[in-house]
Amino acid sequence: MHINKTTSQILSLLKTAPDFHNNCIQEHLQTGSTIPVSHLSQNLYLIESGFLSCLRDIGTDEYLHIILQAGDFLYLLSDDEETPEIMACEALTDVTYWKIDISFFKKMIQQKDSDNAIFTAHSNKSRKNIENHFLLDRMHPEERIYFTLLTLMRLGSPVESNTVQLPAFVNHQKIAEYALTPLDYTTDILNQLQENQLLEKNGTITDVAAFNAILESKNILTLENSLQ
């Protein structure tokens, strides 16, 4: 099983404790199953492999869709009132994760991560997810679809130097959901990309450079960079 480098580093840190297996339990989720929200405050959850789709309540009847992958926590002790509450988490693929006792994790981090690198990385990603949501809100629907594809490309697997395979869970419905656009409209835009031989039906971006040129022409990369 491939383990994300960040996951491996965190687990290596925790495994230095003799009581690791008393406080950290490896568990599995099948595609489509969920982690009960009522359990989220009782333990920490570190994803080892697979993808989770989580919904955060950001108020005013708005919800933030985020995709978590290997190396991500559902939340950490550094989360504060500014971090939207998770409402639901569904496995987009088969998922392996570690359920970690909060007190044990806090003790180990105080001993082994004095510079708070783990908390900082998690906080930065949480903030980036929120910023991307508000960036989407400023975009034209077509631009939202392109931006969502860019996000999914970064979760994908390079096939060749200019080709990327999107994650296996990606389909028209998911893209529409994350882009906040109607399914029929989303399908029309994706069909145009297929006709222009930039996207294959199996979810492969066949010309990353050409796709990036579209993003640049619509100032999508400029908007994203302005948030950094």
Side-chain angles (χ1 to χ4, degrees):
M1 177 191 301
H2 172 73
I3 299 179
N4 177 277
K5 181 179 179 181
T6 302
T7 310
S8 180
Q9 291 172 340
I10 296 171
L11 289 176
S12 295
L13 182 154
L14 298 178
K15 286 179 178 179
T16 61
D19 56 347
F20 168 80
H21 287 291
N22 294 330
N23 294 282
C24 302
I25 302 173
Q26 188 186 60
E27 297 188 344
H28 306 277
L29 284 175
Q30 292 185 334
T31 303
S33 55
T34 62
I35 296 177
V37 176
S38 60
H39 294 179
L40 296 183
S41 62
Q42 300 172 13
N43 299 279
L44 298 179
Y45 294 85
L46 172 64
I47 301 173
E48 183 173 2
S49 64
F51 293 94
L52 274 174
S53 177
C54 295
L55 197 65
R56 289 185 182 271
D57 182 0
I58 59 176
T60 62
D61 296 325
E62 286 192 86
Y63 295 93
L64 170 65
H65 291 276
I66 58 174
I67 301 173
L68 301 179
Q69 60 179 320
D72 289 337
F73 286 91
L74 268 66
Y75 81 99
L76 271 185
L77 306 175
S78 60
D79 286 1
D80 53 31
E81 294 180 356
E82 295 182 358
T83 302
E85 180 182 358
I86 288 180
M87 305 301 295
C89 273
E90 178 184 0
L92 295 169
T93 63
D94 289 350
V95 172
T96 298
Y97 65 91
W98 287 86
K99 185 171 70 174
I100 304 170
D101 178 79
I102 292 177
S103 298
F104 168 78
F105 183 83
K106 185 175 182 179
K107 178 188 70 175
M108 292 300 297
I109 292 304
Q110 288 175 342
Q111 295 175 1
K112 304 290 185 177
D113 189 32
S114 58
D115 60 355
N116 289 324
I118 294 174
F119 286 126
T120 299
H122 172 79
S123 178
N124 288 343
K125 184 162 187 178
S126 295
R127 184 178 66 252
K128 182 67 173 176
N129 286 331
I130 295 171
E131 289 174 347
N132 284 348
H133 173 81
F134 290 109
L135 182 59
L136 274 175
D137 197 45
R138 295 161 53 187
M139 291 180 175
H140 181 276
E142 182 180 3
E143 295 171 342
R144 292 205 294 268
I145 294 169
Y146 291 139
F147 185 71
T148 298
L149 282 172
L150 173 64
T151 301
L152 294 170
M153 281 173 56
R154 291 169 175 167
L155 299 175
S157 304
V159 178
E160 298 175 354
S161 60
N162 197 38
T163 305
V164 172
Q165 176 69 51
L166 300 177
F169 65 82
V170 175
N171 55 34
H172 290 193
Q173 180 65 53
K174 286 297 182 186
I175 294 172
E177 179 182 334
Y178 297 136
L180 308 175
T181 51
L183 178 58
D184 55 352
Y185 179 81
T186 302
T187 298
D188 288 342
I189 298 300
L190 296 176
N191 285 342
Q192 290 177 22
L193 290 174
Q194 290 177 9
E195 291 170 3
N196 292 329
Q197 298 184 338
L198 296 180
L199 175 67
E200 293 183 353
K201 290 184 178 181
N202 66 356
T204 301
I205 303 292
T206 55
D207 191 334
V208 174
F211 182 74
N212 285 337
I214 294 176
L215 299 179
E216 291 178 358
S217 70
K218 296 181 179 297
N219 293 321
I220 292 174
L221 294 178
T222 301
L223 282 172
E224 183 188 31
N225 291 334
S226 70
L227 297 177
Q228 298 178 0

